[in-house]
Amino acid sequence: MKKMNARQMMLCMAGSVMCSVGVMGCYPLVPAYFAALYLERVSGPVLLGMMYIGMFVFMPTAAAVKYAVALVVVMGAIRLVEWANEGCPSYMAGSMAAIITMILSVAGGLLEWKDQPGILAAALEGAFILGAVILFNRALHMILHWGRKAGVPERPDGGREERLMGYAESFQGLSQVFHSMSAAHQNGDAEELGQIQNELTGKICASCDACAVCWERDPAPLYGALSGILSAIWNGETPGEEKKQELAQYCRHSSDMVEEAVRVFERVSLNRAWYQRLVENREVIAEQLDAMAYIMQDCAREEKILDVGERHVLSEIQYRAKEQGIVVEELHLIEAVDGRIRIDAVLKSRLGGCVAVKTFLALSGAVLGKKLRTTADARTFIAKEPFRFLIYEDTAYRSVQGIARVKKDEAKISGDNFSFLELERGEMLLGLSDGMGSGSSACKESEMVLDLVERFLEAGFSMETAIRMMNSAMVMKGENDIYSTLDLCMVNLYSGMARLYKVGAAAAFIRREDEVECIASENLPVGARAHLDAKPREIQLNDGDFIVMVTDGVLEYLHVPKPEETMREMILSIKTNNPGILAKKIMDRVMLFTGGRAQDDMTVLAACIWKKA
């Protein structure tokens, strides 16, 4: 026997009392209450037993027999419908209960059973049963689920946001300290050059017998000659014979002075190189501290859990899911930072079969008045085992992408890499990275750049934070001055707004109905310096607009004065709505300009957004 709780047992006992309510020889509350309560998955034998007790206590024998048969048939009919459809809506259960009761009433009248209602009374009874089942089922569902927490309770830690913001301010303060420590010396060359000159004269002149003679007379010519020698070495030049002879007029140890100056400057250059590396490391640490501050600020902007304020919405979703054969074990309604609704639900089928997830999406969307979608990797069916589904508002746009690639002549692998990534928050990432040079080393470098960006974005970080963290990692890794360009386009599939981030990348193009817009930016490649200023360019895309992104090799080898203008005209002249065909035709035309040869890796990425119906 199915285990029952106290609330279900009390409702079953209430069914016995329903058997005492009769009108014109009819007891319509009996089949209506039974069908409505049985739909809530209470124990059938217990409910049937309680109803039988009430019928044989309060009803005439003939009526008790008729309704006893009716309840058994109704229970079997509901089970049959649930077996076939994994659920039985209340209107269907009410219709079956009404028809079965009417048939038994008419059959009883034909057999001249005692106290049987007439045909009109039987019809009215059937109509009453249909409406009563629907109303009873909703009422009983609310009673059985009243007080149950459909979602998680409110977070008790109300000061979490304030603490995270405090941590973020602390990290930003540390970042400013490192920035100030690593600030380059301004106008420090003359001072450092004077210190070197004093070191040389102190070392060479101190052991010279003529030191007093040289410096007691007018020292200006000696200072001038020595400064000329030092300035030449400081600038990386070799002192000329003329300057050496000028110094020899005032110093008998001029050759020793020049040799010692070269040694001192070698040591100074090495110290300056190490100091510059220290400055760069401080800049990297400062950038990472800034990124950590941004991450904490993102975490501080908590999502709102709407379970308490939207109990009626959650109850309605659970009721409709039950009618479709879906058991909702856990249900949360969440408002994201951007104001969009998300559902977090643990679902399973009622009878152990399979129910399409789109059924739950449809009923939930009808309650919320929104179109909904699941994550790309979610199950398509609800099975008997509980499974957690994350459900989001459906996007207004969908994206289609295409790619065309050509390797450098005689190269085995392309140094270009690309990325198409659709995020759960309703954004599409288009990425293109060109590793400097060609071959496997360039390919690994550009692949690593895109992989880091993807990982940060999938972890929930903003694009700006992802780029900063990735650049910091590449600066720390930097080997043999191998860098990569980065061309990113983040498209919001809800609004159609596109944000383009260009880090040392070639121009991108936006094709509309009768025009093509060129978007260019000058910036150093990834990993070239610790501080990366990658301000996005925002562009509103509309239905049918194309985004075309290319690597440097495509534009550089067009061999025309204005390659961006040539590419713009080329894109405008190609008539197609297929991104793959557009990318291929662009590449074919570029190869005509190069004579069929690829002097560098070339990649063309095209994407189009379409408004959903």
Side-chain angles (χ1 to χ4, degrees):
M1 182 183 296
K2 183 177 178 179
K3 185 177 180 180
M4 300 181 66
N5 57 35
R7 194 175 302 186
Q8 290 176 337
M9 181 60 71
M10 291 179 64
L11 290 175
C12 289
M13 294 172 64
S16 300
V17 180
M18 294 289 179
C19 299
S20 64
V21 181
V23 179
M24 298 173 57
C26 297
Y27 297 85
L29 293 181
V30 173
Y33 186 82
F34 176 84
L37 188 55
Y38 185 69
L39 287 175
E40 291 300 316
R41 303 304 298 165
V42 300
S43 175
V46 174
L47 176 59
L48 197 62
M50 291 294 180
M51 298 292 288
Y52 278 3
I53 292 173
M55 285 188 289
F56 286 103
V57 170
F58 298 109
M59 292 183 186
T61 303
V65 172
K66 182 187 77 171
Y67 286 107
V69 174
L71 297 190
V72 173
V73 177
V74 168
M75 184 171 65
I78 292 175
R79 290 295 300 271
L80 183 62
V81 172
E82 289 182 334
W83 174 80
N85 300 320
E86 283 295 327
C88 182
S90 58
Y91 71 86
M92 185 176 292
S95 300
M96 292 188 299
I99 293 172
I100 291 169
T101 305
M102 288 173 59
I103 292 174
L104 290 175
S105 296
V106 172
L110 294 176
L111 295 174
E112 298 182 352
W113 288 1
K114 186 179 179 181
D115 299 328
Q116 292 303 305
I119 295 178
L120 179 60
L124 292 175
E125 181 185 28
F128 180 85
I129 291 173
L130 173 59
V133 169
I134 297 174
L135 294 176
F136 275 157
N137 187 239
R138 279 191 174 273
L140 293 171
H141 179 81
M142 293 180 62
I143 292 173
L144 287 171
H145 293 84
W146 183 262
R148 293 185 181 180
K149 294 180 180 179
V152 297
E154 294 292 333
R155 291 181 175 90
D157 190 1
R160 179 172 177 266
E161 180 176 353
E162 290 76 8
R163 290 205 307 273
L164 283 175
M165 292 301 293
Y167 296 155
E169 292 177 0
S170 299
F171 276 104
Q172 286 178 335
L174 284 173
S175 172
Q176 292 174 1
V177 171
F178 276 96
H179 276 302
S180 62
M181 290 172 59
S182 61
H185 291 291
Q186 300 295 327
N187 301 322
D189 289 352
E191 181 180 352
E192 191 169 1
L193 193 61
Q195 292 176 354
I196 293 174
Q197 184 170 327
N198 292 334
E199 180 181 349
L200 284 174
T201 55
K203 188 172 184 179
I204 301 297
C205 297
S207 59
C208 177
D209 297 337
C211 176
V213 178
C214 294
W215 293 105
E216 284 179 0
R217 65 187 179 188
D218 185 9
L222 179 59
Y223 269 120
L226 183 59
S227 297
I229 294 290
L230 295 179
S231 297
I233 300 175
W234 181 269
N235 296 324
E237 303 173 359
T238 302
E241 290 298 327
E242 182 178 350
K243 292 183 177 181
K244 290 182 179 180
Q245 291 176 3
E246 182 182 359
L247 180 63
Q249 295 177 6
Y250 306 100
C251 179
R252 69 171 69 176
H253 299 290
S254 59
S255 59
D256 295 336
M257 183 77 74
V258 172
E259 291 178 1
E260 184 63 25
V262 171
R263 285 194 294 270
V264 170
F265 274 106
E266 287 179 352
R267 187 180 72 252
V268 169
S269 297
L270 181 61
N271 291 338
R272 286 173 64 88
W274 280 109
Y275 179 76
Q276 186 61 33
R277 187 59 182 268
L278 177 62
V279 168
E280 292 176 355
N281 289 340
R282 287 173 178 170
E283 287 289 339
V284 171
I285 294 173
E287 287 295 316
Q288 291 178 340
L289 290 172
D290 276 336
M292 289 297 297
Y294 295 146
I295 292 170
M296 290 182 178
Q297 289 172 352
D298 286 340
C299 294
R301 294 191 289 269
E302 293 183 353
E303 299 173 330
K304 296 180 181 178
I305 300 178
L306 307 179
D307 295 348
V308 176
E310 300 293 342
R311 285 180 178 175
H312 64 287
V313 173
L314 299 176
S315 178
E316 182 66 17
I317 292 175
Q318 288 177 317
Y319 176 77
R320 296 194 183 192
K322 180 262 302 181
E323 290 199 325
Q324 298 297 328
I326 301 171
V327 176
V328 181
E329 292 197 345
E330 189 177 343
L331 186 64
H332 310 281
L333 195 62
I334 302 169
E335 182 181 4
V337 176
D338 58 4
R340 304 193 184 279
I341 297 299
R342 186 176 83 241
I343 295 176
D344 184 356
V346 177
L347 309 174
K348 69 177 182 179
S349 61
R350 292 184 67 182
L351 300 179
C354 291
V355 181
V357 174
K358 64 180 181 181
T359 302
F360 185 79
L361 296 180
L363 65 90
S364 301
V367 174
L368 295 171
K370 302 177 183 294
K371 290 185 177 180
L372 303 176
R373 62 179 175 87
T374 57
T375 56
D377 58 346
R379 295 181 181 179
T380 56
F381 287 95
I382 302 170
K384 64 179 180 180
E385 299 86 5
F387 185 79
R388 183 175 296 276
F389 291 89
L390 295 178
I391 300 172
Y392 299 83
E393 287 188 40
D394 198 8
T395 57
Y397 295 90
R398 61 185 177 89
S399 175
V400 182
Q401 306 86 30
I403 194 78
R405 309 176 71 191
V406 173
K407 297 191 297 290
K408 181 179 179 180
D409 290 344
E410 300 180 357
K412 295 182 179 180
I413 188 171
S414 173
D416 298 345
N417 273 286
F418 65 93
S419 172
F420 300 129
L421 178 64
E422 186 168 355
L423 299 172
E424 293 179 355
R425 55 180 181 253
E427 293 179 315
M428 168 61 71
L429 172 69
L430 308 172
L432 197 57
S433 180
D434 179 7
M436 289 191 176
S438 61
S440 60
S441 59
C443 177
K444 290 179 180 178
E445 194 75 13
S446 60
E447 182 181 17
M448 182 181 299
V449 167
L450 289 176
D451 183 62
L452 285 173
V453 172
E454 288 181 355
R455 288 175 182 269
F456 286 125
L457 291 176
E458 288 177 330
F461 298 151
S462 66
M463 176 66 86
E464 290 78 6
T465 302
I467 293 176
R468 292 163 70 101
M469 293 290 285
M470 176 275 302
N471 184 69
S472 296
M474 298 306 293
V475 170
M476 296 295 289
K477 173 188 174 295
E479 297 176 357
N480 302 324
D481 294 332
I482 298 178
Y483 305 115
S484 296
T485 66
L486 183 62
D487 200 357
L488 299 175
C489 179
M490 182 69 83
V491 182
N492 188 316
L493 296 178
Y494 290 105
S495 64
M497 182 63 71
R499 291 176 296 150
L500 288 88
Y501 301 81
K502 308 188 75 62
V503 186
F509 303 86
I510 306 295
R511 194 191 86 173
R512 308 187 189 278
E513 290 184 357
D514 54 356
E515 65 175 349
V516 174
E517 181 181 356
C518 177
I519 301 170
S521 176
E522 294 183 0
N523 208 335
L524 291 175
V526 172
R529 63 180 182 181
H531 179 69
L532 185 63
D533 185 17
K535 295 181 180 179
R537 172 80 178 273
E538 293 189 351
I539 296 178
Q540 179 63 52
L541 300 179
N542 299 311
D543 184 33
D545 287 354
F546 279 82
I547 305 166
V548 179
M549 301 161 65
V550 299
T551 54
D552 293 337
V554 174
L555 295 178
E556 288 180 359
Y557 294 98
L558 287 176
H559 302 297
V560 293
K562 297 181 178 180
E564 288 83 5
E565 182 65 22
T566 301
M567 179 60 68
R568 191 187 70 82
E569 295 174 355
M570 189 184 301
I571 295 172
L572 189 60
S573 65
I574 299 174
K575 305 300 181 183
T576 180
N577 289 327
N578 188 311
I581 295 176
L582 177 62
K584 185 177 184 303
K585 287 188 175 182
I586 292 174
M587 184 63 74
D588 291 341
R589 296 194 182 186
V590 170
M591 295 302 290
L592 292 177
F593 279 83
T594 65
R597 298 192 60 187
Q599 301 180 40
D600 192 6
D601 299 321
M602 295 188 291
T603 302
V604 178
L605 183 155
C608 179
I609 68 167
W610 301 97
K611 200 169 185 64
K612 294 181 178 179

